[in-house]
Each structure stands twice: as structure tokens, then as C-alpha cells.
Amino acid sequence: MNVVADPHTHREAPVRPAPPAPYGMLAELTHRCPLQCPYCSNPVELDRRNVELDLDTWKRVFSEAARLGVLQVHLSGGEPTARRDLEDMIRHCVEVGIYTNLITAGVGVTPERLQAISDAGIDHVQLSFQGATAEMTDKVSNFRGAHERKLAVAREVRRLGLPLTINSVVHRANIHQIPAFIDLALSLDAKRIEIAHSQYYGWALRNRGALMPTREQVFWALDVVEEARARLKGKLTIDAVVPDYYAKYPKPCMNGWGRQSLNVTPSGKVLPCHAAETIPSLDFWNVREHSLSEIWTDSPAFNAFRGTDWMPELCRSCERKEIDWGGCRCQAMAIAGDAAATDPACHKSPLHAHMLALAEADAEGSSEYDYRRYLTPDRPS
């Protein structure tokens, strides 16, 4: 790191190199959602409707994102179709040259609404399934009839000629359905499926004991995914996210803190990752007061764990430091109580055995869910 003279103290001060431009942005348009999933990754304290950014502010943010270098925006929530101005946002993204991916639960989306979303210029639809069967989807989402509604939306997406990804969050109750999830994606003519093991932040952390699979289940699932990838190569892309609790090395969360992507919450806070608000020491700048470029380059939260200088010695001297980028800061906060600690998912961490013990204990826990009952909003339009 270079140094320059501070004009006030005349002492040398470090000059932080400019970060690379982000190429992805998660736009959390609302936290309103008709489902009550126990693994919800949104924060425990949700943004209410009256603090959501208005359309003009979102348009400005999308324009600033395009100038900053963002190539794709994931329109998410909650349920993004709860925003009646979603089509206006999509049209604006098209105008400024950003690829748009709609991440939806699908249960409140009519064919007419999908047609309007398609006409606005959406590039891709990612549809969540909580199970590969109606019984499982309805149980996990706590929404009767959810599965059949999702099937209808998936078929309509393909009828409109839009690319479709099936997103399946797996955990102890449905991990055995991974082969059926893959068959479901094929039957719906999806070109991609994301098999994402539940990650234990936000509301999901409350349900860790009801969601955690066993070690044997996880490694069985990995074998199933690898076999399916080989068998379906060129026909279906299968992305998989494993639970860190059984890992040897930490995942390079967001490919490094503040390196490639950013999240904007419904109220306008900008986060380096989806769960960053679980770190209480960080102050997140808001697009109401700062430009996206200022936040990306200068905000203390983005610079807190950017690069490698912040790392503890165990990580700083590791040959994988620019592969894992220190792993997950939110997980270090959750398990070690210190966001700057070595990620306990790493087998070199002194807390790695503790993390494994937590997983093994939780895998024998209750199967009763603490549903997000207060998430239910006024219905999507």
C-alpha cells in the first residue's frame, strides 16, 4: 500500500488502491413476501413498506450502478413483484444497459403480470421452490397451494421464451429430494438449477437446529450433484452451495468483501454482502445521502474487510488468502463473535472443531420451524 503525507498531521498515511469495479448488484426492492420460509436469509429486523426507496431513487441507483460498471442486477426481496412499479424499474435498467434477473417466489404472479414484466424487457427469471413436491413446498413455505402456483409460473415463463433458473434451498427436511429437484428443473425446461444449502444468518440462524442436515446427508448430496453434472452436461447447468459447517476451507464469500458485488436494501443501505448487517460494528451508508460510487469506493463498511491487510496473521500468511479472501465475515461474527477472526469454516481455525460440534448437535435437533409469520404483506399486485 502506498503512503502520502497527511496535510493536517504531516505524517505519512496509507493510500488505499482503488477497488475494482463491481459487476453485480442485488437490489432488494422490498422485504414484503407472501411466504414464511424458516430459512429466510433476510435480517431479523425487516424494512417496512413505508421506508422503501421510491421509484425515482431506484432509477437513480440503477443509473449510478451502470456508470460504476455493474453489468447485471438481481431484482429481489422479499417478493419483488409486490412492487407495482417493478416494470418501470426493468425498463430503466434496459435503458441504461443492465442485464436484469428477477428472483421471485412466483405465488402471486399472474400470467398477465408476467406478460407485462416480459414486455418491460426482463432478461431472466429465477424461481424458488421450497420442495420438489407439493407437500414439501407447501410445508416449508407455510403457504397452501404454493407448489402448483410455482409450476404454472414456470411454464408461463418458458412460454414467453424467457430463460428460467430453478432455485432450491435444501436442508434436513428436503435434502433427499435433490434428485427430484433436478428432474423438476428438466421437466420445466429450465437451463439452470441452483441447489443452495441453507446458510445460517438472519432468520435462518434461529432455525439452525431444525434445518441442519447430517454430515452423511451433505456428502451424499455432493455425490448426487457431481453425478448429475456429468450426466447432464450441456443440458442443465447445476450450481451448488454447500453448508460451511461441514467444509474444510471457507467459501470466498462474494468472491471477496467489496471486490465484485454489492447489495442495496429496501431502505437504501448498501451492503458488501446480504448478511452484513449482522456485524454490529459496521455503519452502512445509504443511497439517500451518498452516490453508489462514493459508497463503493469510500465507505468504511466496504473498506473494513476489503483486500488482505485486515486479516489476522493466520489468514494473512496463508497461501489461500487471495483464493478464499478470508472466508465469511458474517460467519466469523456468528460463531467467533468477531468479524475479523478466521472463518471457523476453515480447518485451520481454532474454532473449526467447535463449528463441527454445533452442526452435529443441530443435526439431531427438533424439526419444528419458527416461521416468519409477520412477513406476510399486503398481497403482491
Side-chain angles (χ1 to χ4, degrees):
M1 185 179 292
N2 297 325
V3 295
V4 296
D6 186 305
H8 302 290
T9 65
H10 303 291
R11 296 175 181 170
E12 289 187 336
V15 176
R16 193 180 299 274
Y23 61 75
M25 185 173 84
L26 178 67
E28 297 173 340
L29 306 182
T30 180
H31 279 157
R32 290 175 278 153
C33 184
L35 304 188
Q36 300 171 13
C37 302
Y39 58 73
C40 181
S41 58
N42 281 332
V44 172
E45 294 298 326
L46 298 172
D47 289 340
R48 299 299 176 182
R49 182 175 185 171
N50 64 345
V51 300
E52 292 174 5
L53 299 178
D54 61 20
L55 175 61
D56 287 341
T57 304
W58 273 117
K59 285 183 175 181
R60 173 175 63 78
V61 170
F62 293 138
S63 294
E64 291 176 356
R67 290 194 294 271
L68 187 57
V70 169
L71 301 176
Q72 58 182 344
V73 166
H74 305 282
L75 302 168
S76 182
E79 174 49 54
T81 60
R83 293 282 305 233
R84 291 182 172 85
D85 49 9
L86 174 62
E87 290 88 335
D88 294 318
M89 296 185 197
I90 295 169
R91 279 189 284 268
H92 186 78
C93 287
V94 171
E95 290 172 6
V96 298
I98 296 178
Y99 182 95
T100 51
N101 174 38
L102 177 66
I103 303 175
T104 178
V107 297
V109 186
T110 64
E112 293 77 17
R113 186 78 194 278
L114 266 180
Q115 182 67 64
I117 289 169
S118 177
D119 291 344
I122 197 71
D123 291 299
H124 182 274
V125 176
Q126 188 167 329
L127 178 64
S128 68
F129 277 84
Q130 287 68 41
T133 61
E135 181 182 11
M136 185 62 70
T137 297
D138 295 1
K139 178 183 188 308
V140 175
S141 67
N142 204 27
F143 191 109
R144 184 176 298 177
H147 193 79
E148 293 304 319
R149 295 191 188 197
K150 291 169 182 287
L151 292 176
V153 167
R155 295 181 183 118
E156 186 66 15
V157 167
R158 294 302 295 128
R159 188 192 71 78
L160 291 169
L162 295 169
L164 174 66
T165 287
I166 298 302
N167 181 52
S168 54
V169 177
V170 297
H171 41 81
R172 188 166 75 234
N174 67 2
I175 192 170
H176 65 283
Q177 291 191 333
I178 287 179
F181 273 121
I182 294 170
D183 290 343
L184 177 66
L186 290 169
S187 73
L188 294 173
D189 193 31
K191 298 305 179 187
R192 176 176 172 269
I193 181 171
E194 181 176 308
I195 299 171
H197 285 260
S198 179
Q199 302 294 300
Y200 302 103
Y201 317 113
W203 195 261
L205 187 59
R206 290 192 176 192
N207 283 289
R208 189 176 65 186
L211 296 170
M212 183 70 70
T214 66
R215 184 182 185 89
E216 291 73 21
Q217 287 176 317
V218 169
F219 283 92
W220 170 84
L222 293 175
D223 289 341
V224 169
V225 167
E226 287 309 309
E227 183 280 328
R229 279 175 170 163
R231 173 168 50 89
L232 299 172
K233 186 177 181 180
K235 187 174 183 179
L236 179 68
T237 298
I238 304 176
D239 291 334
V241 179
V242 301
D244 294 347
Y245 283 62
Y246 293 110
K248 181 178 181 181
Y249 295 108
K251 65 177 180 288
C253 188
M254 310 303 292
N255 289 314
W257 183 279
R259 292 189 68 247
Q260 295 182 351
S261 59
L262 45 81
N263 296 19
V264 183
T265 71
S267 62
K269 286 182 285 188
V270 186
L271 316 178
C273 79
H274 187 72
E277 288 180 281
T278 62
I279 304 176
S281 62
L282 297 181
D283 178 30
F284 301 103
W285 289 5
N286 195 298
V287 296
R288 300 180 196 270
E289 291 87 36
H290 300 273
S291 72
L292 208 59
S293 178
E294 287 176 324
I295 296 170
W296 176 255
T297 303
D298 300 325
S299 68
F302 272 82
N303 285 317
F305 303 112
R306 184 175 261 155
T308 60
D309 289 344
W310 64 270
M311 292 181 178
E313 179 50 39
L314 186 59
C315 299
R316 195 180 306 167
S317 59
C318 180
E319 70 278 3
R320 294 177 59 89
K321 69 179 181 180
E322 293 189 2
I323 298 173
D324 301 330
W325 296 102
C328 180
R329 298 301 88 221
C330 302
Q331 191 154 259
M333 186 72 230
I335 305 298
D338 178 5
T342 298
D343 186 341
C346 181
H347 71 286
K348 298 180 181 181
S349 166
L351 288 174
H352 186 64
H354 173 64
M355 189 172 187
L356 288 176
L358 287 174
E360 291 169 359
D362 285 333
E364 302 299 326
S366 168
S367 296
E368 294 298 317
Y369 298 142
D370 184 6
Y371 288 109
R372 291 205 85 157
R373 299 186 187 279
Y374 64 89
L375 265 175
T376 307
D378 39 88
R379 297 185 66 82
S381 58

